[in-house]
Structures are given as C-alpha cells and as structure tokens.
Amino acid sequence: MKIILFIIITSMLFGGIVWANADYKESQPKNLKNISYPEIGLTTSSLLICPNLGYWFGPIGIRLSGMYQNENHNEAHLNLGYKLSDNEKTQHSINLLSGEIIGSDPGADYYYTYLGVAYGLNFSIKEYRGFFIEIGMAKVLHDHLGNLKDDPFVPCGTFGYIYRFTP
C-alpha cells in the first residue's frame, strides 16, 4: 500500500512539474522575427489619415502609405524596415523613410521630399493589438517652396493602427 501511495504522490509531483513546464513553454511569446506576413492599417502624420499596406519578408519589411486629397494637399511615404524584435504582442523596428508632402497648416505651406530614419513600435494594449507609433528625423532633400531652408532636418513620424496578420 505504501508503494502505491508513493507512486501516486511522486507521479503527481513530477507530473505537475512536467505539466507546469509545458504550460510555461506555451505561454512564452512566439518569436516572429524571421516569419513573413502582411500588414494593413491607418496612420496619420501631420496632415492626413493615410492607409498603409506592408509586407515583412522575415526580418526585412516594406510599407507604402499615402493619401491624395487634392493637388495642394497630399502625401506619399515609403518605409524599408528591419525588425529588431517581433512577437505576437510587440514589434520593434528601425526604418528608412522616404516621401513627399504637399500641404499646409496654420503657420506655413509645405511641399518637400525627404529621407530619414525612424524607430517603429507596434504594440498591444490589454488584448487589443496593432497600435503603432513611429518617430524619427528626416533630411529635407528638396524644398520646392523654400520655407524649410533654415530647417535641413525635420521630425517625422506617424501614429495609428496597423494590424499584422501574424501566423
């Protein structure tokens, strides 16, 4: 009887450790750095809300966004990115940005092309994933209106929602 009781107790103890380790492995975030997947979303920079289409080819990705409202108000952006880390809940990336902005705000009119670098973060809040923020600096390549001649570098960035179709 003592042997049966010993077998039951040890199987419960060691079985619980094995089951606990199995649960622990399942709760670890899945590494998606080398996984390919598409993404789609809506973001805004300073002027317009733009649709985004992107695709990650493993650690390298491309994203295209932009919006045309009229000839005096439009933007186009191209991002080439590299994933620093990626799992189901967060993605950290460094991005090379290029684009053209035509528009105005209460202080000035803009018409320039740029090339820059930015850090991107796609993250979750509670169970809702896809929140996106990107911030960096860009070199003004060509200022068509001349009002950025004193600002060779401009801040660049977007925020919004980009859903990643992760496996």
Side-chain angles (χ1 to χ4, degrees):
M1 187 68 169
K2 290 180 183 180
I3 294 176
I4 294 174
L5 188 59
F6 175 76
I7 292 172
I8 291 172
I9 291 173
T10 54
S11 67
M12 288 173 63
L13 288 175
F14 290 110
I17 291 170
V18 170
W19 291 330
N21 285 340
D23 291 340
Y24 176 74
K25 288 178 184 177
E26 288 178 11
S27 68
Q28 289 294 318
K30 187 162 104 176
N31 184 1
L32 301 173
K33 185 171 180 180
N34 295 314
I35 304 296
S36 298
Y37 56 84
E39 62 184 17
I40 188 168
L42 288 173
T43 59
T44 184
S45 60
S46 60
L47 303 173
L48 295 170
I49 296 174
C50 301
N52 284 265
L53 293 173
Y55 195 84
W56 288 95
F57 302 92
I60 306 295
I62 186 167
R63 183 181 305 120
L64 180 63
S65 66
M67 177 64 79
Y68 181 86
Q69 187 173 17
N70 59 44
E71 64 185 36
N72 296 319
H73 205 99
N74 59 72
E75 11 182 302
H77 308 278
L78 176 67
N79 292 20
L80 298 174
Y82 177 76
K83 293 184 208 176
L84 300 173
S85 68
D86 192 5
N87 61 45
E88 293 99 348
K89 295 187 180 201
T90 59
Q91 178 200 65
H92 300 270
S93 63
I94 189 81
N95 302 296
L96 179 62
L97 316 169
S98 180
E100 180 177 76
I101 295 179
I102 302 171
S104 62
D105 63 23
D109 293 329
Y110 301 103
Y111 181 11
Y112 65 94
T113 56
Y114 68 89
L115 182 65
V117 176
Y119 165 77
L121 173 64
N122 191 310
F123 61 98
S124 300
I125 296 177
K126 297 196 179 201
E127 296 299 318
Y128 303 102
R129 57 186 199 149
F131 296 100
F132 180 77
I133 187 166
E134 182 177 64
I135 190 160
M137 290 296 285
K139 168 87 171 119
V140 176
L141 297 177
H142 188 36
D143 182 10
H144 300 278
L145 299 179
N147 61 351
L148 294 174
K149 63 184 171 195
D150 296 331
D151 300 321
F153 292 96
V154 293
C156 62
T158 60
F159 66 93
Y161 183 83
I162 295 181
Y163 185 81
R164 300 177 300 136
F165 294 91
T166 58

